[in-house]
Amino acid sequence: MPSHDITPTRSVLIELKNKIKTTKNGYKIMKMKRDGLIIEFFDIMEKAKEMRGSVASDYQAAMLKIAIARAVEGEIAVKSAAYALKTEPKVKVGSKSIMGMMVPKVEADVIHVDILNKGYGVISTSPYIEEVSVAFEKLLDTIIRAAEIETTMKRLLDEIEKTKRRVNAMEFKLIPELEEAMKFVKFRLEEMDRENTIRLKFLKGKGEAAE
C-alpha cells in the first residue's frame, strides 16, 4: 500500500490499526497451519517409505510365485487360470480432511476373493497357481494403499508450499506495508496538529495585538 495513495485522516489510522491487528492474527494462524502441515507431511513421508518397501517386496514375492507356477504348471495353465477369474478388483475413492485440507481416501473392494469364487476349478488347479493369485491380491492391495499415501503426500507438499508463500507474503510484504502506511498517517496527522497549533497561536497573537 503506497503511502502517497493514503489520505491521512484519523479514521484511516484506525482502519490501518485494525487491518494490522487482523493481518497479524491471520499470520499467526497461517504459521500454525504451516507447521502442522509440515508435521503431517513428515509423518506421511515415513509411511510412504514403508509402503514403497512393501510394494517392492510384495512385487518380488508375486513375481517369484508366478515364476514357480510357470515352471511347474506351464504358461498355458497359468494364463488359463487368469482368464477364468470372474471378479474384478473394485476401488472406492472418497476424501478425508487433514488440517482443513481434503485428501483422497482410497478403499479396495473385492481384492481378496475366496478360492471357490475365483472361477477356476479347485480340484484341477494346483496350489502353485492359488499361491500366485493370493500373492498378486496382496500386491494389488498394497499398491492401492500406497497410491493413497503417495497422493496425500503430494497434496500436503503442495499445500505447504502454498501456505509458506502466504506466510512470507504477510511477513515480508503485507504487514510491513501496512505498518509503513500507519507510520506515514501518524506522522502526517502529528504534522497537521503542529501546523494547526502554530496557526492558532498566530491568530491568537494577531488578535491580542489588535486589541
Side-chain angles (χ1 to χ4, degrees), residues 12 24 27 29 34 43 65 72-73 89 97 100 108 110 114-115 122 144 154 160 163 165-166 175 181 183 194 198-199:
V12 169
K24 284 185 174 179
Y27 169 72
I29 292 169
R34 179 200 62 190
D43 183 51
K65 293 291 184 184
V72 175
E73 300 296 328
S97 175
V110 199
D114 186 87
I115 189 171
V122 178
I144 290 169
K154 185 180 183 303
I160 288 169
T163 307
R165 286 195 296 270
R166 289 175 180 170
I175 292 174
K183 287 178 184 177
R194 284 194 297 269
I198 293 169
R199 188 181 299 110

Side-chain angles (χ1 to χ4, degrees), residues 47-59 106 108 111-112 134-150:
K47 292 179 182 178
K49 287 179 182 178
E50 292 176 9
M51 289 305 301
R52 288 170 186 173
S54 297
V55 169
S57 61
D58 288 353
Y59 174 78
V106 184
I111 297 295
H112 303 288
V134 171
F136 273 92
E137 285 175 350
K138 186 172 184 293
L139 173 61
L140 182 57
D141 185 55
T142 304
I143 289 172
I144 290 169
R145 288 187 290 119
E148 177 183 317
I149 291 174
E150 292 286 341

Side-chain angles (χ1 to χ4, degrees), residues 80-121:
S80 296
Y83 289 134
L85 289 173
K86 294 179 179 179
T87 57
E88 293 183 358
K90 294 180 181 178
V91 176
K92 291 192 297 185
V93 180
S95 61
K96 59 184 178 182
S97 175
I98 297 179
M99 300 287 294
M101 180 191 67
M102 301 309 293
V103 296
K105 182 179 181 182
V106 184
E107 295 179 341
D109 284 347
V110 199
I111 297 295
H112 303 288
V113 182
D114 186 87
I115 189 171
L116 298 175
N117 297 314
K118 287 188 176 177
Y120 49 73

